[in-house]
Amino acid sequence: MDDSLLKEENSWVVMDYPFLYPRDGAGDPIIGTETCPFDFSFTALDTFNIPEGWRGIVSHFVGELGDIFNEFDAEEQMAFYLKNIYEEDGILHIYPSFYNEEVLNLIYKYQDIAKDICIECGAPVAYHELSTGRRYCDKHIVGKVGVPKDSQL
């Protein structure tokens, strides 16, 4: 994608989902400097280590999270952002700056969905890798030691 198109698309994404505006380690928005302003070359999602196969479900998660975000009051909206999203031991981890019961239930929903999706390509899971707990389709289990998904680990 052309760099200017990417920046334009990212600016629209952040406008629709302000909680995707990139933040620094302290949680402050990255605004850049007067001589080098933030240019929307990336969003918070680009800074997270999300497996390729789970990017689609993370996009759906963001859409649903946007609906919840819109119900927050102005102070909550200013404070809410995604701190991190990543895979560890075959589990999708999502960490917002804070959560209520509705956000927590949404996180649990997408953790359950991720259990049935190959982390490499997004296809249905067929196997669990024994050493990591990661889940793979028939194609991506090749070269790994795995058991069928319905087996007890």
Side-chain angles (χ1 to χ4, degrees):
M1 177 182 292
D2 179 276
D3 193 45
S4 62
L5 289 176
L6 174 68
K7 291 175 184 179
E8 183 178 345
E9 182 177 308
N10 284 346
S11 69
W12 284 105
V13 167
V14 170
M15 197 178 309
D16 288 343
Y17 305 107
F19 52 87
L20 293 181
Y21 193 94
R23 308 269 180 147
D24 64 18
D28 296 322
I30 297 173
I31 57 173
T33 64
E34 188 175 317
T35 57
C36 185
F38 177 69
D39 66 357
F40 292 99
S41 56
F42 64 96
T43 70
L45 287 179
D46 298 313
T47 67
F48 303 147
N49 190 18
I50 303 168
E52 191 61 38
W54 286 356
R55 290 190 175 273
I57 65 164
V58 168
S59 292
H60 288 284
F61 167 80
V62 165
E64 288 189 48
L65 185 60
D67 294 338
I68 296 170
F69 176 85
N70 290 333
E71 296 172 7
F72 289 166
D73 64 35
E75 187 176 322
E76 290 172 321
Q77 286 186 354
M78 290 297 293
F80 187 82
Y81 63 97
L82 292 175
K83 293 173 120 179
N84 206 348
I85 300 175
Y86 62 95
E87 175 274 333
E88 183 176 12
D89 298 329
I91 298 169
L92 176 64
H93 293 271
I94 302 170
Y95 293 100
S97 55
F98 68 86
Y99 55 87
N100 60 20
E101 185 175 346
E102 200 172 2
V103 172
L104 188 59
N105 287 337
L106 186 64
I107 290 170
Y108 290 155
K109 172 185 173 180
Y110 278 89
Q111 284 177 328
D112 285 344
I113 291 170
K115 290 177 184 176
D116 292 324
I117 296 176
C118 175
I119 68 169
E120 295 289 331
C121 68
V125 164
Y127 295 93
H128 293 235
E129 184 181 24
L130 290 176
S131 63
T132 65
R134 291 181 178 139
R135 294 154 172 90
Y136 295 98
C137 64
D138 288 326
K139 176 182 173 186
H140 289 105
I141 194 65
V142 175
K144 300 169 183 73
V145 177
V147 295
K149 78 171 189 168
D150 297 326
S151 299
Q152 296 290 352
L153 291 179

